Amino acid sequence: MSCTSDAHTTHTSVAVASLLQPLSMSRMLLSRFFCALGLLLLAVLAAVVLAAYVTGAFHFQQHALNYDSLPFYHTADFQPRWDKWSSWQRTAKFDLINQHGEPLSQNVLEKRPSFVGFFYAGCVSLCPVSLEVLRELNRIIVASEAGVKPQFLLLTVNPELDGAGQLADYAKRLQLPANWSLLTGNPKELDHFAHSLKTDIRLRERNGEPLHGGRVFLLDTDRRIRGVYDASSTTELLRMRADLERLNVEKANQQM
């Protein structure tokens, strides 16, 4: 009886061991897989950190006194940056139409420096004030003989109601310069481009009126944000003009 029992126990142990062996192999392979995956993720993270360090993306303390050129802006808090990563950021592409019904794309931004702002044809408070500041800036620049003249692009925040005809009437009513471009088009296109300017054109007042500020952006010919201003304040005129002159000098030095 004892021999028979021992033989049965041995046979059972061998059977159990044979069943557990594939499970043990699977656990070992799975352990190796997760180990390799962990090492790969660590390598990727190290590469990202190294790239960010080399490009300056982690250099949070950047002071204007340390740089001669205009900064770049690409974050929602509009903190000025001078690192490589910031210099690679571009505003979005777009396909819109102006007040004459003519198509305009992002290529227009690559021709000359641009002052870009937002408005809507039904605005009777902030928009006329901001546009008057920009018009005064335009008069000062036109009277100046030095530097490349900028272009002015104004994007409606109410494209559902502001068609090309409404924008043309608005430009005529406010006697805006003929070479200014008032843009409208597909709401998604406008929203996408506005988002790259850290602006939400979908905000509305309780009465349904568009909610927007008087912020204006200076873009270089690489579609990068180089200046951010409050166009509802006349005190910004000097800064806008000075920044445009600095941008022109920067471009001229790059072409030398």
Side-chain angles (χ1 to χ4, degrees):
M1 289 290 292
S2 177
C3 291
T4 304
S5 176
D6 290 344
H8 179 72
T9 301
T10 302
H11 178 74
T12 302
S13 299
V14 171
V16 170
S18 64
L19 289 174
L20 292 178
Q21 187 175 7
L23 181 60
S24 178
M25 290 290 294
S26 298
R27 291 178 62 183
M28 184 177 64
L29 291 174
L30 192 61
S31 177
R32 290 180 178 178
F33 169 77
F34 281 114
C35 183
L37 181 61
L39 291 174
L40 177 61
L41 291 176
L42 284 175
V44 171
L45 180 60
V48 171
V49 171
L50 179 61
Y53 177 79
V54 170
T55 59
F58 285 170
H59 296 173
F60 294 107
Q61 297 299 324
Q62 300 184 26
H63 302 287
L65 295 177
N66 297 331
Y67 303 92
D68 295 326
S69 62
L70 285 176
F72 304 94
Y73 299 85
H74 69 93
T75 56
D77 59 2
F78 294 114
Q79 287 297 310
R81 304 292 298 256
W82 285 267
D83 55 78
K84 283 289 186 182
W85 175 261
S86 300
S87 72
W88 294 341
Q89 308 308 307
R90 304 288 190 272
T91 53
K93 297 180 179 180
F94 61 82
D95 286 295
L96 302 169
I97 60 173
N98 64 13
Q99 68 269 36
H100 308 298
E102 302 167 338
L104 267 77
S105 72
Q106 72 283 347
N107 294 334
V108 71
L109 298 173
E110 300 170 2
K111 296 179 179 179
R112 59 181 61 233
S114 307
F115 284 103
V116 180
F118 296 90
F119 81 107
Y120 68 102
C123 181
V124 295
S125 55
L126 180 62
C127 296
V129 174
S130 299
L131 293 178
E132 182 55 36
V133 171
L134 291 179
R135 186 158 45 190
E136 178 61 24
L137 174 65
N138 185 62
R139 282 195 288 263
I140 294 172
I141 292 172
V142 169
S144 173
E145 296 181 358
V148 177
K149 309 303 180 188
Q151 57 187 347
F152 290 80
L153 279 71
L154 303 173
L155 291 85
T156 179
V157 298
N158 197 17
E160 293 84 0
L161 296 180
D162 289 348
Q166 286 75 20
L167 299 189
D169 292 341
Y170 187 78
K172 183 178 180 181
R173 187 165 69 251
L174 270 67
Q175 298 181 342
L176 299 179
N179 61 343
W180 285 19
S181 295
L182 280 64
L183 302 181
T184 187
N186 187 301
K188 290 185 178 180
E189 286 276 326
L190 277 164
D191 183 53
H192 183 55
F193 181 62
H195 184 72
S196 70
L197 293 170
K198 314 307 174 188
T199 302
D200 188 354
I201 65 173
R202 297 168 297 180
L203 296 176
R204 293 294 184 266
E205 300 273 11
R206 289 185 177 180
N207 61 4
E209 289 292 312
L211 178 63
H212 70 101
R215 188 175 289 136
V216 167
F217 304 88
L218 173 61
L219 271 59
D220 63 20
T221 53
D222 290 315
R223 306 199 332 261
R224 301 174 297 189
I225 303 174
R226 307 301 300 277
V228 184
Y229 318 94
D230 178 9
S232 64
S233 172
T234 56
T235 59
E236 291 281 60
L237 277 171
L238 292 177
R239 194 163 70 91
M240 286 190 281
R241 181 186 179 187
D243 284 355
L244 175 65
E245 291 177 352
R246 290 179 65 187
L247 190 59
N248 283 331
V249 169
E250 177 184 308
K251 186 70 174 180
N253 291 338
Q254 291 174 352
Q255 294 174 344
M256 292 178 61

